[in-house]
């Protein structure tokens, strides 16, 4: 039976093509593979589901066993967020032309180049920085590379961590920076390549001391690297305004569904100085004149930096990453515009404020940083039951409680990171408070 | 379309979408809590556009793009531009995956965990390896992950002194670059006269400083190295590990397996061999297969099954840790699973065989074109792709490979030359995969033939191509001039104003 | 607040446009509407859900209250069918270019014309007839028009009904044919314009007497109008093969989701004779040469027939109908090909056979036409409980039982029309039988 | 693209999709039950294509099409080509609506029933009518439904002798055609000097034979008839009904209502005023509003609410019955509901006001173009559209309105002339709706101006357009020649062979 994905499997076609090549059979093409390496049995795989309907039923049936954040009321965050995804974002990124293109030249793929350059430009406006890269894999990779860039730019080897960071990010940094950059220590000293600042921090705080960390780093001759979730920048000052040299983070919030962690893409932004630009490993698309006056072309800026051009002589390495999410984030920012981003930020802080106030009033709950501003996440400490117990009880009630911090941040006690988004109505927040009150009673 | 930039379309006051309204009882001024220094003063200078204006802009840009769905996309050799079935896109678009949060309790994610668990077993069988990590975001990230595991492995055995990695010039640049980034000295082997990496050079290069060999096979030339097991043995003999870059696995599915040749590690690009869409350059997905010895070092968490339920195991003390957030690019993992499930063992083997048939058929036809050749291993077959050379044409006409590619864009197809350096002069790399029909291949050859003939008849037209595309030839020099390059609209405007 | 759907609501823009028109305010444009007709209060509508996220939650929330045929195991048919819809069908019909185009000329909408002409051609091959129209609204409309066409072609005014028909279709015909065509009576007589034959009948039977009805109609000087669900034509002979003059029906089976009745579109096919073609009220796209040699153009065949061209002098009337479903049915047939259609038909009959056999063995069930061939539907008669009782019990068990015929076909007793599709696995059919056994025990 | 026909792409043996396999225990030969005469002998001569070949073909055809999302689609006057929000498309794509069977028990369809019930109330408020049927498939089907109700109404009162229907030449042809199909004699009123239907002619036409007046307002000229209430009265005076074709309601939402002018029936095109996508010409949706007297005749079933649950009421003895299967084009009804819900009363009024502003602004700019005019009611405003005339240009250049439209296609826009007969000579009908920005309107005017100037400077280029489209001018005569027309591939091949 000819498979719909393999057109030339039709026997007559196969035969005529074989004839054209002069080969007796397909085995002949494999003549260079020694018999000792040949697998002479069929792969041990489940029987195929060739009919599309059967496949849909099988895979769809498995996925249906999941309970999604649309099925439940979720307060999970911690690096992945269920913000609203505008329908136009999904529409654009599901277009065949974007979804199935790859690495064409600026000429046949003008649209892709323009869309990604526009993404860079929109992020540039949000961040008020002149250089933004084509997305890397995720915020982890962006952060790791930003810190390596800082080390290369300064010729120094230590990065101080000014704010609590995601333990998973720490794990990534430990691996990726090994042998090149050490992490920790004071925001001081002539070995200081940079200070890394979370804005907000992993625990959701917009720390008023951030500008002083930046100053301290600069005073020591180091750079300030600020990690941020761009979703807040409608109300939060762009890090460049208080002196950040490199800004990095994840754009998942800007129009990507959570996708069980599949919606991530990382950005790195700097000023437009050659010593910064030359240290990017990733692609940077640039606007360029063409042979036709007034026409906009696009191409790779300073391509010789990259490992594509110079293999191990390039900066770190570059490959396929997360371009489609860059295009999507561009669509998101174009839809939101300046006013949308401001209103969204205000809405996040208002909901966050409301939930903090509600929860602070419940017996058995403390909000450690209640007095500090939070964008959309904050820590909730349970004085009695464990987070696991509370979350299990909430799950029974159709609620996904906050991310359990108890193991990673033992000094916080029985704590969880609660996240609100603009999708939470006041009634949702009130419902959480009411259920928590019952659970903790 | 002659579509302007988004910024040029801005019309102040227009809105593309409205966030949810603040309900009564929510503090509209909550942002005033922010200290002044951290409060945004002036709104971001984003463009302002109505919803249909944003949509129209991006739809037009999409139409100014090719894509595997739209053209005979065999010109991006090494990229395995196969058909990405639409049904798989639709399976991952529903909220049961799209709205799944990676920090959910495993109990609420049994469906996706089962798929990841099953996919790992499938890829283990296809590679012959013991376990497979699905966490890397794409091929280069998978190479990095393998290098990180190699480093951790040697360190765990007190052999941290091993500081050299050997690779070949026809392996993807990321092999060299990842090794370098991880702190290794990189030794690069060049092809011998037959196009194979030089075994003698390898034997000369290995030593107790050797951490690993990172090698592709077939390499970007499409030539399968029959002595690959000897390469692996030579590295093993000095205590090094052998790591197989299987980005180009499309021609060998069910034919030969990494572990059977003795490799300790390998990786697949799921967006290549396993059909997930290329998405303008990601999100993609990578998979790292390892032998039992390397299993402790796999990224965490792994997906485990206790006979009743699936769960994420984060308690892996020797793990290299996280190489990306959470458990990988889940939608692409589900797509890859669906693709394998729709084909089965027999189907995968047919994929490989037809990909190889298509490639050798294409080579037969391409080599009839004036001015082209397929360097190395003359008269021998190729596996899934061929690196061609237009050297003869370039010498005779002054038209370069790149020019021919640009001209092909005028006919609605294109090709990619090759990664640098151009070891093969005037290169062009074609990989037809199993997805294209004989008719498609014939059409592509006809276009290439027409372009080559044109290069002889009217070289100027080819050199100044494209002529029928959305845009004309770039003035490239701007892109390398720090005073002129423009990575963003704000930089462009500033530099323009300064002029 | 400027609405995203109304760009020129921006006050400055509004003012500048007003100025260009010389009008003082928008009221001026309404000067012709007498005050007595003006609504001087706001419409009484619910407050708007301007934010897209709020809208999605509201409408999505309402829709989530439905239990779909994916949530339940359904055996409903009777004119609307849950066949498998290939993903490529959905992909093509959700393309902006097709979804939002309308009535452009052959030049700017060449793709639409070609896709619809190809639909006509694909249906033509399936039916083995040379003329097929651009889809009308649904099978009801197609049938009603086919019968009016028969009356106009023959100059006679009565249509005999050879097979049981859907009572809803009967209702439509009673209204639409009133004053033009009478229904009923024998397949005989010099007033006989046509005989109408369901193939299969509404009750699912592929009636072996059909060819004899055709012969009888022809003998009386009338036409044979055959209504059919094209999904079966991979195994069923095309009606033209046994002499049908006009074939009509609904294409919903060919790639359209049920959509609560929103997936319907009607076809009418005839031989390529002028006396037939001239009686179509609907559009017929034709292949036409252009000023460039060898180029295919497309346009309207015999446009002067239509009410677009000649108002009440045209045949019946024509308007926007269901073109996108025609394009989709074309995609469906192109994907299925000859072999797919054959295999599908065989699969339907095999499942139908299996279920008939299973149910026939259950106490309390009789299959009245068990001996006749059925394509995908058949009548099940309950000797004890009512269909309503059985269906309520099945619903409790997550099954939608067959459509209740008790009221419309009282002579069949307590009967229901059960429908299988290729989506039913053997296990599904066995499950129905097991549950029915329990329910009827 | 120069995309061949599907049939020309066929490659025997290829498959686009495979139906589910027959499991063991199912009879592979069940079709042999069929009597020989009813068993298909030879397979249908459908083309045979792999899945990606089918996809590529249709994607290319889609790119050879415009659509409201892609262009400034204001040239299809009377069609109300407004933005169809993507979010509404996505709301109806999920299985909770797509996989809902219309014969399900009402208990399992409470969500969709509630939406239909709410939509009916909204449209009743917007029209001022008492009840609204959502069953008709589109505008013309709604007109038919209204005519059927009119017929049933008169018959129920023993006035079946009323055999005349009056309409106007600027009302949609389906008004005349549906009335005729229902057995009525059609009387058509022509405009007076001001462009209004002639009231005196109406008064002369009405009699005890008058069943109804079917009239549009504003008519296709965009001119609102200020004496509309007098028209209604004149018909009422003789015992006839007044039926308002509100296909063109976009300019009057919240401004004036059908019932307030005394109409007994009206209809909306939900794919026009209420934004559901036009879908290449349907599926669309129509809604018929009626006053209390007509309620018994509404199509069945109606959607009712008993305070606790929603249900379909099929027990309506005086009903005209079914005008289409089941309860209507549900996905479009949900879209229309969503659109109204996203705007509310204030938003709908703004839609109307901006649509009217856009139209009058556009008219101001268009009338600056050489050779164009807006016949009738000189110096007066228009509501939501204008029927222009290129009569002067045609006289001066010999270029016809149709030619100009073809040439506009070369610029990526187009327009529609008008329904026949061309009462306005050399017509062009533009309706900008509320969806297009000032910038869009200015661009459209600039294109029209360029085309008009070209008609004066180089009429041949315009007359032979399109030049940059996918295809060139048709040789129309073939389409009216029964010996040559080709409605299908099989007919084309046969006729070609016979030649």
């Amino acid at each position: 039976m000819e498979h719909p994905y393999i057109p030339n499997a039709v026997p007559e076609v196969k035969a005529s093509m074989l004839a054209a090549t002069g080969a007796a059979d397909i085995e002949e093409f494999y003549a260079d593979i020694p018999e000792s390496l040949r697998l002479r049995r069929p792969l041990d795989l489940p029987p195929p589901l060739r009919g599309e309907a059967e496949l849909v039923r099988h895979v769809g049936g498995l996925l249906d066993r999941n309970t999604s954040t649309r099925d439940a009321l979720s307060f999970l965050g911690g690096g992945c967020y269920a913000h609203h995804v505008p329908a136009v974002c999904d529409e654009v990124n599901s277009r065949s032309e974007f979804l199935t293109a790859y690495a064409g030249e600026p000429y046949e793929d003008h649209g892709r180049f323009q869309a990604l350059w526009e993404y860079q430009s929109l992020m540039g406006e949000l961040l008020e920085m002149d250089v933004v890269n084509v997305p890397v894999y995720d915020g982890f990779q962006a952060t790791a590379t930003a810190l390596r860039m800082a080390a290369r730019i300064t010729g120094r080897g230590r990065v101080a961590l000014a704010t609590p960071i995601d333990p998973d990010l720490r794990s990534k940094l430990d691996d990726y920076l090994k042998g090149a950059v050490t992490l920790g220590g004071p925001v001081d000293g002539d070995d200081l390549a940079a200070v890394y600042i979370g804005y907000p921090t992993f625990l959701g705080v917009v720390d008023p001391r951030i500008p002083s960390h930046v100053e301290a780093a600069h005073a020591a001759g180091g750079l300030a690297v600020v990690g941020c979730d761009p979703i807040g920048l409608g109300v939060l000052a762009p890090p460049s305004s208080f002196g950040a040299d490199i800004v990095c983070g994840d754009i998942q919030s800007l129009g990507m569904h959570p996708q069980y962690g599949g919606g991530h893409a990382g950005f790195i932004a700097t000023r437009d100085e050659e010593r910064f630009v030359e240290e990017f490993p990733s692609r940077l698309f640039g606007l360029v004149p063409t042979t036709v006056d007034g026409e906009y072309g696009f191409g790779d800026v300073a391509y010789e930096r990259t490992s594509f051009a110079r293999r191990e002589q390039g900066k770190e390495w570059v490959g396929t990453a997360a371009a489609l999410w860059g295009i999507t984030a561009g669509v998101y920012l174009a839809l939101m515009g300046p006013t949308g981003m401001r209103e969204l930020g205000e809405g996040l802080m208002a909901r966050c404020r409301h939930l903090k106030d509600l929860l602070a009033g419940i017996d058995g709950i403390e909000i450690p940083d209640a007095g500090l501003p939070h964008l959309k996440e904050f820590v909730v400490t349970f004085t009695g039951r464990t987070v696991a117990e509370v979350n299990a009880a909430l799950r029974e009630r159709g609620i996904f409680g906050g991310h359990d911090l108890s193991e990673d941040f033992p000094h916080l006690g029985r704590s969880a990171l609660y996240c609100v988004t603009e999708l939470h109505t006041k009634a949702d927040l009130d419902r959480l408070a009411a259920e928590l009150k019952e659970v903790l009673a | 379309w002659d579509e302007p930039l988004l910024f040029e379309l801005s019309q102040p006051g227009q809105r593309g979408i409205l966030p949810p309204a603040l309900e009564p009882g929510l503090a509209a001024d909550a942002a005033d809590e922010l200290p002044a220094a951290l409060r945004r003063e002036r709104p971001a200078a984003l463009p302002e556009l109505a919803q249909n204006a944003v949509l129209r802009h991006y739809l037009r840009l999409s139409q100014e793009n090719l894509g595997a769905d739209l053209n005979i996309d065999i010109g991006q050799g090494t990229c395995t531009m196969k058909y990405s079935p639409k049904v798989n896109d639709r399976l991952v678009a529903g909220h049961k995956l799209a709205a799944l949060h990676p920090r959910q309790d495993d109990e609420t994610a049994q469906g996706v965990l089962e798929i990841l668990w099953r996919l790992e077993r499938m890829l283990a069988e296809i590679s012959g390896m013991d376990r497979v990590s699905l966490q890397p975001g794409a091929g280069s990230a998978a190479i990095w992950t393998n290098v990180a595991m190699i480093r951790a492995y040697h360190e765990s055995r007190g052999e941290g002194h091993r500081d050299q990695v050997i690779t070949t010039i026809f392996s993807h640049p990321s092999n060299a670059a990842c090794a370098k980034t991880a702190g290794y000295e990189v030794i690069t082997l060049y092809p011998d006269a037959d196009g194979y990496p030089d075994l003698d050079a390898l034997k000369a290069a290995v030593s107790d400083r050797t951490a690993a060999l990172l090698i592709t096979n077939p390499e970007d030339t499409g030539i399968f190295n029959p002595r690959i097991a000897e390469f692996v043995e030579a590295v093993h003999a000095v205590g090094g590990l052998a790591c197989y870059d299987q980005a180009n696995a499309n021609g060998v599915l069910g034919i030969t397996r990494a572990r059977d040749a003795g490799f300790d590690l390998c990786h697949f690009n799921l967006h290549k061999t396993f059909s997930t869409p290329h998405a303008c350059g990601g999100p993609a997905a990578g998979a790292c297969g390892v032998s039992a010895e390397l299993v402790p070092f796999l990224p965490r968490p792994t997906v485990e099954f206790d006979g009743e339920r699936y769960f994420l195991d984060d308690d892996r003390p020797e793990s290299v840790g996280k190489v990306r957030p959470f458990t990988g690019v889940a939608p692409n993992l589900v797509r890859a699973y669906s693709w394998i499930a729709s084909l089965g063992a027999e189907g995968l083997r047919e994929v490989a065989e037809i990909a190889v048939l298509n490639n050798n058929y294409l080579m037969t036809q391409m080599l009839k074109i004036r001015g082209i050749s397929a360097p190395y291993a003359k008269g021998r077959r190729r596996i899934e792709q061929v690196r061609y050379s237009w050297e003869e044409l370039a010498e005779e006409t002054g038209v370069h490979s790149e020019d021919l590619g640009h001209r092909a864009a005028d006919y609605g197809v294109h090709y990619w030359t090759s990664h640098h350096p151009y070891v093969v002069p005037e290169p062009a790399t074609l990989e037809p995969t199993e997805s294209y029909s004989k008719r498609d291949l014939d059409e592509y050859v006809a276009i290439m033939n027409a372009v080559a003939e044109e290069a002889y008849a009217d070289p100027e037209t080819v050199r100044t191509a494209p002529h029928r595309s959305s845009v004309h030839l770039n003035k490239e020099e701007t892109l390398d001039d720090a005073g002129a390059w423009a990575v963003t609209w704000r930089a462009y405007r500033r530099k323009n104003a300064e002029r």
Side-chain angles (χ1 to χ4, degrees), chain B residues 325-393:
Chain B
F326 311 113
T327 47
V329 187
N332 285 344
L333 301 176
V334 173
R335 284 178 171 110
Y337 172 76
S338 300
W339 188 78
I340 298 171
S342 73
L343 285 156
E346 200 189 325
L348 290 188
R349 189 176 165 127
E350 185 141 57
V351 163
E353 293 189 346
I354 299 295
V356 170
L357 171 63
N358 281 357
N359 186 48
N360 283 281
Y361 173 79
L362 183 71
M363 181 168 74
T364 307
Q365 308 307 105
M366 284 294 292
L367 291 180
K368 295 177 183 167
I369 298 176
R370 188 169 166 198
I372 202 171
S373 65
Y376 303 121
K378 292 279 173 223
R380 296 194 70 79
R381 306 297 185 173
R382 297 296 192 275
I383 303 293
E384 87 297 5
Q385 62 189 338
V386 176
R387 183 149 298 172
Y388 298 93
S389 173
W390 293 107
E391 189 175 21
E392 189 186 319
L393 182 140

Side-chain angles (χ1 to χ4, degrees), chain A residues 32 69 78 96 107-108 130 296, chain B residues 8 69 99 380 414 469 494:
Chain A
D32 284 342
T69 59
S96 267
Y107 310 110
E108 64 267 15
D130 279 4
Y296 296 131
Chain B
E8 297 172 320
D69 281 353
R380 296 194 70 79
H414 59 122
S469 181
R494 179 171 52 73

Side-chain angles (χ1 to χ4, degrees), chain B residues 147-169:
Chain B
V147 170
M149 287 193 279
I150 289 164
R151 186 169 65 176
Y153 169 85
H154 287 306
E155 281 175 1
S156 78
R157 298 160 53 98
E159 301 205 344
H161 65 273
R162 291 180 181 270
D163 65 351
Q164 291 180 336
V165 158
I166 304 168
T167 186
T168 70
I169 194 66

Side-chain angles (χ1 to χ4, degrees), chain A residues 140 166-175 403 407-408, chain B residues 103 131-136 145 149 294-304 311-328:
Chain A
F140 285 11
D166 180 355
D168 281 349
L169 171 58
R170 177 63 192 244
S171 166
K172 164 79 184 185
L173 295 179
D174 284 342
D175 172 57
H403 171 57
E407 251 186 67
D408 291 326
Chain B
R103 293 194 189 275
R131 290 293 301 262
V132 177
S133 172
L134 305 172
Q135 194 177 119
T145 303
M149 287 193 279
L294 275 300
V295 168
F297 309 102
L298 284 171
R300 65 175 172 76
T302 53
V303 183
E304 307 291 342
F311 62 98
L312 294 173
D313 179 11
D314 235 326
D315 184 19
R316 305 186 63 85
E318 293 193 276
S319 165
V320 295
K322 305 292 296 182
V323 296
R324 93 171 244 122
F326 311 113
T327 47

Side-chain angles (χ1 to χ4, degrees), chain B residues 33-90:
Chain B
E33 287 176 33
L34 292 167
L38 301 182
R39 181 83 161 96
R40 187 162 199 134
E41 275 178 30
R42 52 168 188 260
L46 297 169
E48 300 175 61
L49 292 156
Q51 189 167 114
N52 65 335
V54 174
L55 178 68
R56 188 167 68 213
H57 176 72
Y58 281 100
L59 292 182
R60 288 178 173 188
L61 292 188
S62 79
Q63 289 195 353
E64 295 184 340
N65 221 47
L66 284 180
D69 281 353
L70 267 293
N71 80 117
I72 303 168
D73 211 348
I74 67 177
Q76 300 186 69
T78 80
C79 297
T80 317
M81 302 303 295
K82 63 173 60 182
Y83 175 52
S84 299
K86 291 293 148 189
V87 64
N88 298 343
D89 297 340
R90 290 190 175 254

Side-chain angles (χ1 to χ4, degrees), chain A residues 5 13 15 29 32 36 44 49 55 67 75 110 127 160 187 198 218 244 247 250 255 346 352 356 379 406 418 435:
Chain A
Y5 303 162
V13 176
F29 302 132
D32 284 342
S36 62
D44 180 17
L49 301 164
L55 182 72
T67 307
F75 293 91
H110 181 67
L127 296 163
V187 189
H218 287 170
V247 186
D250 205 302
E346 289 169 354
C352 201
K356 271 196 288 183
V379 173
S406 314
Y418 272 75
E435 299 280 10

